[in-house]
């Protein structure tokens, strides 16, 4: 999973629909929706009753509470009144969240090269406090050097004009900036050794990428491990995936899976648990972080 090698379409369980604004608001929508659901249930109001107040259907209320659609500030205000929220500070906090949920993220300017389904991922990634990822074909996007990223994009977009490739690379480099910011998330990446042995872009590109991995693995918030060939079969033979965790206790972990024909986002606890167990097993079975640096250095000497 190289994130945006090609143009897959989205296939959700944590749904994103064409009604979604597709900016950086995904997490805020989910958070606001969950708070509105709790207020409604505490008041004993049905979805049908809530829908009537804002001139919408019961299914529209369901989509709002799941964070699948954008919010109108007027609708939120009417629902808060229905739910008995009279405290001005509480109302203003929720109304401000509604306004923020419709604001575009910094990556909105890359909309020409950023498919709708991946805008959602970037929004989730931007809000995550912990990102755990397993990759078997490419170095994870957040750990790619600029030259390596360019070669990956060229593989999946051979006919794209050069300015489009430049934009894609620029976006990826911009995403990486959050890893060194004041509120940087923790990134825990497990790479199959195959991703390091596959000569993407040739000798110099791979040397640069290996050197980059060694350097970033020394950052306090980044853990890199390699699943070596010598281990044999392992817990994630099904393919690459990422797990995103958020600082808000109301938000579930989300598993992101990219395929040739789509992208799947899972937030059901039973689904997430399966991937979490696989990730934990990978971390145990892979080379330690120190052992990984030794392995990276050995591969670098061979390159």
């Amino acid at each position: 999973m190289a994130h945006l090698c090609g143009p897959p379409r989205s296939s959700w369980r944590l749904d994103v629909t064409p009604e979604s604004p597709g900016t950086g608001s995904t997490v805020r929508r989910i958070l606001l929706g969950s708070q509105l659901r709790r207020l409604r249930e505490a008041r004993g109001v049905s979805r049908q009753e809530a829908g009537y107040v804002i001139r919408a259907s019961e299914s529209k209320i369901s989509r709002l509470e799941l964070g699948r659609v954008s919010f109108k500030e007027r609708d939120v205000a009417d629902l808060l009144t229905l739910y008995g929220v009279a405290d001005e500070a509480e109302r203003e906090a929720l109304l401000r969240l509604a306004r923020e949920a419709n604001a575009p993220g910094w990556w909105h300017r890359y909309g020409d090269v950023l498919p709708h389904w991946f805008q959602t991922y970037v929004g989730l990634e931007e809000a995550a406090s912990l990102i755990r990822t397993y990759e078997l074909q490419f170095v994870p996007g957040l750990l790619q050097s600029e030259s390596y990223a360019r070669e990956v994009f060229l593989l999946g977009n051979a006919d794209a004009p050069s300015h489009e490739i430049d934009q894609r690379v620029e976006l990826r480099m911009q995403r990486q900036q959050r890893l060194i910011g004041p509120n940087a998330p923790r990134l825990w990446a497990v790479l199959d050794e195959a991703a390091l042995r596959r000569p993407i872009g040739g000798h110099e590109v791979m040397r640069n990428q290996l050197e980059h991995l060694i350097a970033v693995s020394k950052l306090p918030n980044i853990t890199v491990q390699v699943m070596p060939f010598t281990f044999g079969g392992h817990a994630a033979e099904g393919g690459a995936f990422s797990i995103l965790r958020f600082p808000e206790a109301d938000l579930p972990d989300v598993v992101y899976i990219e395929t040739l024909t789509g992208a799947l986002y899972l937030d059901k606890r039973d689904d997430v648990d399966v991937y979490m167990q696989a990730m934990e097993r990978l971390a145990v079975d892979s080379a330690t972080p120190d052992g990984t640096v030794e392995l990276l250095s050995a591969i670098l000497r061979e390159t």
Side-chain angles (χ1 to χ4, degrees), residues 237-259:
E237 292 291 354
F241 62 93
S242 295
I243 306 174
L244 306 176
R245 177 164 292 175
F246 309 96
E248 295 86 358
D250 295 328
L251 297 181
D253 293 348
V254 174
V255 175
Y256 172 81
I257 306 165
E258 191 173 308
T259 71

Short mmCIF file of all heavy atoms in Angstrom, two decimals, residues 237-259:
data_model
loop_
_atom_site.label_atom_id
_atom_site.label_comp_id
_atom_site.label_asym_id
_atom_site.label_seq_id
_atom_site.Cartn_x
_atom_site.Cartn_y
_atom_site.Cartn_z
N GLU A 237 -0.04 -12.00 6.21
CA GLU A 237 0.12 -12.46 4.83
C GLU A 237 -0.99 -11.94 3.92
O GLU A 237 -0.89 -11.96 2.70
CB GLU A 237 0.15 -13.99 4.78
CG GLU A 237 1.38 -14.61 5.42
CD GLU A 237 2.66 -14.36 4.64
OE1 GLU A 237 2.59 -13.79 3.54
OE2 GLU A 237 3.74 -14.73 5.13
N GLY A 238 -2.10 -11.45 4.53
CA GLY A 238 -3.21 -10.96 3.73
C GLY A 238 -2.94 -9.66 3.02
O GLY A 238 -3.66 -9.29 2.10
N GLY A 239 -1.91 -8.92 3.44
CA GLY A 239 -1.58 -7.68 2.75
C GLY A 239 -1.40 -6.50 3.67
O GLY A 239 -1.52 -6.60 4.89
N ALA A 240 -1.13 -5.35 3.06
CA ALA A 240 -0.81 -4.14 3.80
C ALA A 240 -2.05 -3.51 4.43
O ALA A 240 -3.17 -3.66 3.93
CB ALA A 240 -0.15 -3.14 2.86
N PHE A 241 -1.84 -2.79 5.52
CA PHE A 241 -2.94 -2.07 6.18
C PHE A 241 -2.35 -1.05 7.15
O PHE A 241 -1.18 -1.12 7.52
CB PHE A 241 -3.87 -3.03 6.93
CG PHE A 241 -3.20 -3.80 8.05
CD1 PHE A 241 -3.21 -3.33 9.36
CD2 PHE A 241 -2.55 -5.02 7.80
CE1 PHE A 241 -2.59 -4.03 10.38
CE2 PHE A 241 -1.93 -5.73 8.82
CZ PHE A 241 -1.96 -5.24 10.12
N SER A 242 -3.19 -0.10 7.54
CA SER A 242 -2.82 0.87 8.56
C SER A 242 -3.93 0.94 9.60
O SER A 242 -5.11 0.71 9.28
CB SER A 242 -2.63 2.27 7.95
OG SER A 242 -1.53 2.29 7.07
N ILE A 243 -3.56 1.25 10.84
CA ILE A 243 -4.52 1.45 11.91
C ILE A 243 -4.30 2.85 12.49
O ILE A 243 -3.18 3.18 12.88
CB ILE A 243 -4.37 0.40 13.03
CG1 ILE A 243 -4.42 -1.02 12.46
CG2 ILE A 243 -5.46 0.58 14.09
CD1 ILE A 243 -4.11 -2.10 13.48
N LEU A 244 -5.36 3.64 12.53
CA LEU A 244 -5.29 5.01 13.03
C LEU A 244 -6.03 5.11 14.36
O LEU A 244 -7.16 4.64 14.49
CB LEU A 244 -5.91 5.98 12.03
CG LEU A 244 -5.37 5.92 10.59
CD1 LEU A 244 -6.13 6.87 9.70
CD2 LEU A 244 -3.90 6.23 10.56
N ARG A 245 -5.38 5.75 15.33
CA ARG A 245 -6.01 5.99 16.64
C ARG A 245 -6.02 7.49 16.88
O ARG A 245 -5.09 8.20 16.52
CB ARG A 245 -5.25 5.27 17.75
CG ARG A 245 -5.78 5.54 19.15
CD ARG A 245 -5.27 4.53 20.14
NE ARG A 245 -5.85 3.20 19.85
CZ ARG A 245 -5.50 2.09 20.49
NH1 ARG A 245 -4.57 2.13 21.43
NH2 ARG A 245 -6.07 0.94 20.18
N PHE A 246 -7.07 7.97 17.55
CA PHE A 246 -7.28 9.40 17.73
C PHE A 246 -7.28 9.78 19.21
O PHE A 246 -7.61 8.95 20.07
CB PHE A 246 -8.61 9.82 17.08
CG PHE A 246 -8.73 9.34 15.67
CD1 PHE A 246 -9.40 8.16 15.36
CD2 PHE A 246 -8.13 10.04 14.63
CE1 PHE A 246 -9.49 7.69 14.06
CE2 PHE A 246 -8.21 9.59 13.32
CZ PHE A 246 -8.88 8.41 13.04
N PRO A 247 -6.92 11.02 19.52
CA PRO A 247 -6.89 11.41 20.94
C PRO A 247 -8.27 11.50 21.57
O PRO A 247 -8.41 11.38 22.79
CB PRO A 247 -6.20 12.79 20.90
CG PRO A 247 -6.40 13.30 19.52
CD PRO A 247 -6.41 12.08 18.64
N GLU A 248 -9.31 11.72 20.74
CA GLU A 248 -10.67 11.81 21.28
C GLU A 248 -11.18 10.42 21.64
O GLU A 248 -11.23 9.53 20.80
CB GLU A 248 -11.61 12.45 20.26
CG GLU A 248 -11.29 13.89 19.92
CD GLU A 248 -10.26 14.03 18.83
OE1 GLU A 248 -9.75 12.99 18.35
OE2 GLU A 248 -9.94 15.18 18.44
N ALA A 249 -11.59 10.25 22.89
CA ALA A 249 -12.05 8.95 23.35
C ALA A 249 -13.31 8.50 22.63
O ALA A 249 -13.61 7.30 22.56
CB ALA A 249 -12.29 8.98 24.86
N ASP A 250 -14.07 9.47 22.07
CA ASP A 250 -15.32 9.14 21.40
C ASP A 250 -15.10 8.47 20.05
O ASP A 250 -16.03 7.87 19.50
CB ASP A 250 -16.15 10.41 21.17
CG ASP A 250 -16.60 11.04 22.47
OD1 ASP A 250 -16.83 10.29 23.43
OD2 ASP A 250 -16.70 12.27 22.54
N LEU A 251 -13.92 8.60 19.49
CA LEU A 251 -13.69 8.11 18.14
C LEU A 251 -13.08 6.71 18.15
O LEU A 251 -12.10 6.45 18.85
CB LEU A 251 -12.76 9.06 17.39
CG LEU A 251 -13.29 10.48 17.18
CD1 LEU A 251 -12.29 11.31 16.40
CD2 LEU A 251 -14.63 10.47 16.47
N PRO A 252 -13.63 5.81 17.33
CA PRO A 252 -13.06 4.46 17.26
C PRO A 252 -11.77 4.44 16.44
O PRO A 252 -11.52 5.33 15.62
CB PRO A 252 -14.16 3.66 16.54
CG PRO A 252 -14.80 4.68 15.64
CD PRO A 252 -14.78 5.98 16.42
N ASP A 253 -10.94 3.42 16.67
CA ASP A 253 -9.81 3.20 15.79
C ASP A 253 -10.35 2.90 14.38
O ASP A 253 -11.45 2.36 14.22
CB ASP A 253 -8.99 2.00 16.26
CG ASP A 253 -8.29 2.26 17.59
OD1 ASP A 253 -8.26 3.42 18.03
OD2 ASP A 253 -7.78 1.29 18.18
N VAL A 254 -9.56 3.26 13.38
CA VAL A 254 -9.97 3.02 11.99
C VAL A 254 -8.86 2.24 11.28
O VAL A 254 -7.69 2.61 11.36
CB VAL A 254 -10.22 4.34 11.24
CG1 VAL A 254 -10.50 4.08 9.76
CG2 VAL A 254 -11.40 5.09 11.86
N VAL A 255 -9.23 1.17 10.62
CA VAL A 255 -8.30 0.39 9.80
C VAL A 255 -8.48 0.84 8.35
O VAL A 255 -9.61 0.92 7.84
CB VAL A 255 -8.58 -1.12 9.91
CG1 VAL A 255 -7.67 -1.90 8.96
CG2 VAL A 255 -8.37 -1.60 11.34
N TYR A 256 -7.37 1.14 7.69
CA TYR A 256 -7.38 1.56 6.30
C TYR A 256 -6.69 0.49 5.47
O TYR A 256 -5.56 0.08 5.76
CB TYR A 256 -6.63 2.89 6.15
CG TYR A 256 -6.42 3.33 4.72
CD1 TYR A 256 -7.43 3.96 4.02
CD2 TYR A 256 -5.20 3.12 4.08
CE1 TYR A 256 -7.23 4.38 2.70
CE2 TYR A 256 -4.99 3.53 2.78
CZ TYR A 256 -6.01 4.15 2.10
OH TYR A 256 -5.81 4.55 0.80
N ILE A 257 -7.37 0.03 4.42
CA ILE A 257 -6.83 -0.99 3.53
C ILE A 257 -6.97 -0.49 2.10
O ILE A 257 -8.07 -0.18 1.64
CB ILE A 257 -7.59 -2.33 3.67
CG1 ILE A 257 -7.61 -2.78 5.13
CG2 ILE A 257 -6.96 -3.41 2.79
CD1 ILE A 257 -8.62 -3.86 5.42
N GLU A 258 -5.87 -0.43 1.39
CA GLU A 258 -5.87 0.03 0.00
C GLU A 258 -5.69 -1.17 -0.92
O GLU A 258 -4.84 -2.03 -0.68
CB GLU A 258 -4.73 1.03 -0.20
CG GLU A 258 -4.77 1.78 -1.51
CD GLU A 258 -3.69 2.87 -1.54
OE1 GLU A 258 -3.63 3.67 -0.61
OE2 GLU A 258 -2.91 2.86 -2.51
N THR A 259 -6.52 -1.24 -1.97
CA THR A 259 -6.45 -2.35 -2.92
C THR A 259 -6.31 -1.80 -4.34
O THR A 259 -6.29 -0.60 -4.54
CB THR A 259 -7.71 -3.23 -2.82
OG1 THR A 259 -8.82 -2.51 -3.38
CG2 THR A 259 -8.02 -3.62 -1.38
#
